[in-house]
């Protein structure tokens, strides 16, 4: 049995994101190359085995929302987009991503979601103080659950 979930991120970001942050965000979305310096999500620890067979932790940066093409388990297409809202009354950036994620990826993806929530337009702020960033659906479920960030923590449905 697979633990794959459909993750849909849909958030409007305020206008104050730096060019370096935008470059990294584009990389995470599969829309650009990896920048020299990472400042949004900075660590990507992976356990590998050295020549003596001992576990070693190495840093292996990888984009977190860059899936493209047909989804293997949730149906439909994996995609990401980032568009300027410069010509709209609420300036900034519009971000949408649809990905397949495994619970093993929740922590790392959660870092990016927390970063996004801290920069989201106030329209994403819910009455309970949480920031709505999208939806999560177990691949066999018919209805997704709202995905929120509050106090720097993602409220992964359980």
């Amino acid at each position: 049995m697979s633990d794959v979930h459909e993750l849909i991120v849909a958030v409007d970001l305020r206008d104050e994101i730096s060019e370096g942050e935008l470059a990294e965000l584009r990389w995470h979305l599969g829309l650009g190359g990896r920048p020299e310096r990472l400042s949004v999500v900075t660590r990507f620890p992976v356990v590998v085995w050295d020549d003596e067979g001992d576990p070693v932790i190495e840093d292996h940066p990888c984009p977190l929302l860059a899936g493209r093409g047909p989804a293997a388990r949730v149906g439909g297409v994996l995609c990401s987009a980032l568009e300027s809202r410069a010509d709209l009354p609420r300036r900034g950036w519009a971000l949408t991503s649809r990905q397949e994620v495994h619970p093993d990826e929740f922590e790392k993806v959660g870092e990016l979601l927390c970063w996004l929530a801290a920069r989201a337009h106030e329209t994403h702020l819910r009455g309970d103080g949480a920031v709505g960033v999208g939806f999560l659906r177990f691949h066999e479920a018919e209805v997704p659950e709202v995905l929120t960030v509050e106090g720097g923590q993602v409220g992964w449905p359980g």
Side-chain angles (χ1 to χ4, degrees):
M1 171 98 90
S2 175
D3 289 337
V4 172
H5 292 75
E6 172 191 40
L7 171 66
I8 298 175
V9 180
V11 64
D12 291 332
L13 305 170
R14 295 187 306 270
D15 205 2
E16 63 236 21
I17 298 172
S18 72
E19 285 302 316
E21 291 169 330
L22 279 172
E24 185 173 346
L25 189 52
R26 286 185 182 105
W27 172 67
H28 278 298
L29 299 172
L31 304 173
R34 180 176 148 202
E36 252 183 65
R37 183 177 163 273
L38 299 177
S39 64
V40 175
V41 178
T42 58
R43 295 183 58 245
F44 296 82
V46 175
V47 176
V48 296
W49 305 100
D50 67 13
D51 294 337
E52 288 78 42
D54 295 321
V56 177
I57 297 176
E58 293 184 356
D59 195 43
H60 288 260
C62 63
L64 299 171
L65 302 175
R68 292 274 185 280
R73 299 289 299 179
V74 300
V77 174
L78 306 179
C79 57
S80 290
L82 180 67
E83 296 291 333
S84 172
R85 296 179 54 88
D87 295 332
L88 297 171
R90 197 173 61 240
R91 297 191 192 295
W93 298 90
L95 182 152
T96 298
S97 182
R98 182 174 188 268
Q99 301 293 312
E100 288 182 318
V101 295
H102 187 276
D104 290 347
E105 301 169 279
F106 284 1
E107 183 178 345
K108 195 52 56 190
V109 171
E111 287 184 50
L112 179 57
L113 295 178
C114 288
W115 186 88
L116 293 171
R119 288 149 185 82
H121 271 285
E122 64 281 349
T123 56
H124 294 281
L125 185 61
R126 297 166 28 126
D128 61 4
V131 177
V133 293
F135 305 92
L136 188 74
R137 179 182 67 84
F138 181 64
H139 78 278
E140 293 178 344
E142 292 184 18
V143 179
E145 297 182 54
V146 174
L147 192 57
T148 61
V149 173
E150 185 174 13
Q153 296 290 318
V154 177
W156 296 106

